[in-house]
Amino acid sequence: MKRILKTTLIGTALALALSSPIMAAEVTSVNQAREEVAKGIAALVNDPTFDATFREQLSKGKAPLADVLRNYAEHGTQAREDATADLRDLERQAIRLRGLDGALEALFDIRVHGVDKGQPIASIRDFWTATVSKDPATGEKQVVAYDVAGQERRFSLDSTPDVPMLIVESDSSAAIRAGMSVMNEVLRNGGVQSSGGTRTSRVAGPEQLTLLKNIHLESDQEPNVQGDAEIFAIVSGVGPDGKAQLITKDMPWLDHDKRWYTPNMDLINWTDYGSNYVNVQLFEEDGNTNFKALAVAVTKAVGSLATVVSPGAPPALIVAGVSKVGAEILNAMDDKWFQNDADYVDSFYVIERGGNYGTTMKPLVGARGGAKMILAPYEVKGR
């Protein structure tokens, strides 16, 4: 009799929780979307079906939100379908706010935090649900968490309690891949990136590259609760037509500070440029970037330079033009890119074609001191 009563009470409580719709309200920022998703998931963690579904999708400490919700909805009940639809709508709003409509179908992951990752998780039904957001008043990053009773709690990044949590975050690897595609398309359409299709016709001999042999970040500004860093680069210079030329590069492997990486990456392909000098600037993607808006802002800033300098001009004039392009890229960034030293990492100005830069004992240090690199020239023959 007691068992029947207990089961009935649990079922009634669950029905009441799910019958209160999560309500996918219109959001105005990605931070707000993540907070609403975290709040919605907090209402589901005590559902045994959600618990089991999440753990089935869990791999390497993460589970894609879209996959969890898809499988969860398959277990029937209108309340579950409504909750799933509302959470997916919030995710789609976040995709739109990041300028990735049509480039990305799913954005959010749910990451496990505060547990021994080497041990299987028996249940998530006592877990808090959280996300990293920003204080609207100060702009400081904070953790917004919902405990098992659904009560909201806010913590600074360095005072977050070490309790088991489900962290709602962007799948930044997928977002950056899509974002680089969107940005490069906007840059091409804005006339500050030559079409890749013209590259082959410009190559009259061996293709000259500059390889990124090694790189080290002094600080990626990513506390443990926030997960790995996500770095991308903008390589800027003068195109063959004398106009500013900008190309973005994804660096998904560059995810921690205080560590040397050896990617041997083709960072610069000199056939994309009409002069012997470029800048390399590094940025950390914080999960809120609107890639389309960023590309439009950068295009507007460097596009206003019109013809920067003729590729045949004296080297000093070309160097001045290339440096001006790098300065305008930073001028185009929203102020939030420079809050908390998180999003703008470093700049390496006037890298020369064919140059060797840095050694293991004495690497090339960026203007801000936030990154170190070793660069080396390389020729591709017979392509």
Side-chain angles (χ1 to χ4, degrees), residues 279-298:
N279 311 303
V280 176
Q281 289 165 299
L282 303 176
F283 300 91
E284 200 276 322
E285 198 287 299
D286 68 351
N288 299 298
T289 307
N290 185 320
F291 289 99
K292 188 174 294 182
L294 174 60
V296 168
V298 170

Side-chain angles (χ1 to χ4, degrees), residues 5 8 10 13 26 42 54 69 72 101 112 116 130 133 136 188 202 240 242 257 281 287 294 297 311 319 359 369 378:
L5 177 60
T8 302
I10 291 174
E26 288 294 319
F54 173 78
L69 295 178
Y72 179 61
D101 296 70
V112 176
D116 183 350
S133 188
R188 283 192 296 272
R202 295 201 306 268
D257 58 14
Q281 289 165 299
L294 174 60
V319 167
T359 64
Y378 184 78

Side-chain angles (χ1 to χ4, degrees), residues 40-252:
I41 292 175
L44 303 178
V45 292
N46 283 323
D47 179 350
T49 301
F50 185 84
D51 180 2
T53 300
F54 173 78
R55 288 184 290 110
E56 285 173 2
Q57 296 296 320
L58 192 62
S59 175
K60 296 181 179 179
K62 292 184 179 182
L65 174 66
D67 292 348
V68 173
L69 295 178
R70 185 182 304 110
N71 288 3
Y72 179 61
E74 290 175 355
H75 288 84
T77 83
Q78 189 61 48
R80 284 174 179 152
E81 291 178 6
D82 290 344
T84 297
D86 288 338
L87 289 169
R88 280 291 285 147
D89 183 60
L90 286 165
E91 185 174 34
R92 292 187 188 99
Q93 289 186 60
I95 290 171
R96 173 178 52 80
L97 288 166
R98 299 200 61 182
L100 297 176
D101 296 70
L104 202 61
E105 290 296 322
L107 177 62
F108 291 151
D109 281 338
I110 308 173
R111 176 168 53 86
V112 176
H113 173 74
V115 298
D116 183 350
K117 294 182 180 179
Q119 298 296 322
I121 297 173
S123 173
I124 61 167
R125 294 176 65 183
D126 290 327
F127 281 40
W128 291 12
T129 307
T131 191
V132 177
S133 188
K134 285 190 178 181
D135 186 317
T138 65
E140 294 291 326
K141 289 185 177 180
Q142 61 181 348
V143 174
V144 180
Y146 301 90
D147 64 18
V148 292
Q151 179 181 348
E152 182 181 294
R153 301 165 181 264
R154 292 178 180 260
F155 306 93
S156 65
L157 292 181
D158 57 3
S159 65
T160 304
D162 190 21
V163 299
M165 294 186 188
L166 303 180
I167 307 289
V168 177
E169 62 185 9
S170 293
D171 178 353
S172 288
S173 295
I176 289 182
R177 285 195 301 271
M180 296 302 93
S181 177
V182 168
M183 285 189 69
N184 285 329
E185 181 179 1
V186 172
L187 295 172
R188 283 192 296 272
N189 292 339
V192 292
Q193 184 183 117
S194 300
S195 171
T198 64
R199 175 182 292 174
T200 302
S201 64
R202 295 201 306 268
V203 179
E207 195 169 349
Q208 295 183 327
L209 310 175
T210 290
L211 299 183
L212 175 58
K213 303 288 288 185
N214 307 83
I215 187 168
H216 178 280
L217 300 182
E218 286 300 302
S219 174
D220 60 15
Q221 301 295 329
E222 293 293 292
N224 183 46
V225 71
Q226 197 167 345
D228 296 340
E230 297 86 20
I231 306 294
F232 69 92
I234 298 180
V235 182
S236 61
V238 178
D241 56 2
K243 296 181 180 179
Q245 169 83 318
L246 281 67
I247 296 175
T248 62
K249 296 277 188 173
D250 181 13
M251 298 176 168

